[in-house]
Amino acid sequence: MARFIDGDLPVFEAGAAVRTAYHAVERMRSHGSEGRGVSAGALDLLIRLGAADQGISIGDLARAAGVSSRNVTGLVDTLERDGLVRRVPDPKDRRSVLAEITPAGQAWIEAFREPSRLAMRAMFEGFAPEELVVFRDLCLRLAANQHRLADRLRQIGSRP
C-alpha cells in the first residue's frame, strides 16, 4: 500500500474523508426520505421539479442528476403512480413530455423541508459560518476538477 500511495498520503486521506462525509450525508438523506416512502433518487427529482417554474424533460432531469434517462423514467413512473409527479405535453415540442410536480408533490416537499433543515443543521453542528462557506467552495472545486477529468477521459476514449 505504501508504494501505491508513494508520497500522496494527504490526497488519499482527503479522498477517503470525502467518501466518508458523502456516505454520512447520503445516510441522513436516505433516512429522511425512505421513512416517507421515497428513495433518495426520487427525492432528488422531487426537489428539482419543486424548484422549477415549469415541467422538466426526462433527459434534462437525467443530465442534472448525472444518471441515465432510463433511471429517471423509472423514478418518474414511481412518483407518478404515487401522485407526486405527472407527465404533461411539452408546449415547445409535441413529441415530448415533461415531468412536473403535482400539488401533492409540493405538499410532500413542504412536509419534508423542516425535518431536513433540522437534520442538516445537526450534521454541520460546530462549523462556523465561514467554515461552511470554505467547505462548500472546496466541494465545488472538487466537483469541477472531476468534471474536467471526466471530459478529458471521454475525449481520450473517443479518439480513433
Side-chain angles (χ1 to χ4, degrees), residues 16-77:
V18 167
R19 272 191 310 280
T20 300
Y22 166 78
H23 289 299
V25 170
E26 282 304 301
R27 277 191 303 276
M28 182 62 66
R29 275 179 49 131
S30 292
H31 176 73
S33 62
E34 288 175 358
R36 297 172 181 274
V38 173
S39 70
L43 172 62
D44 185 54
L45 291 186
L46 272 179
I47 290 170
R48 289 176 195 282
L49 292 169
D53 293 333
Q54 57 189 14
I56 303 173
S57 74
I58 299 293
D60 287 345
L61 283 169
R63 278 185 290 283
V67 298
S68 71
S69 292
R70 177 182 284 191
N71 186 317
V72 170
T73 297
L75 291 171
V76 169
D77 288 345

Side-chain angles (χ1 to χ4, degrees), residues 111-153:
F112 181 75
R113 182 170 284 133
E114 184 62 13
S116 178
R117 190 180 68 75
L118 293 172
M120 282 298 115
R121 184 181 286 165
M123 288 282 296
F124 290 101
E125 186 175 332
F127 285 77
E130 304 80 31
E131 290 175 312
L132 292 173
V133 170
V134 170
F135 183 68
R136 181 205 63 209
D137 291 347
L138 291 171
C139 288
L140 291 174
R141 281 176 42 198
L142 180 67
N145 286 347
Q146 185 276 326
H147 286 290
R148 277 193 298 281
L149 178 59
D151 287 344
R152 267 191 252 137
L153 292 173

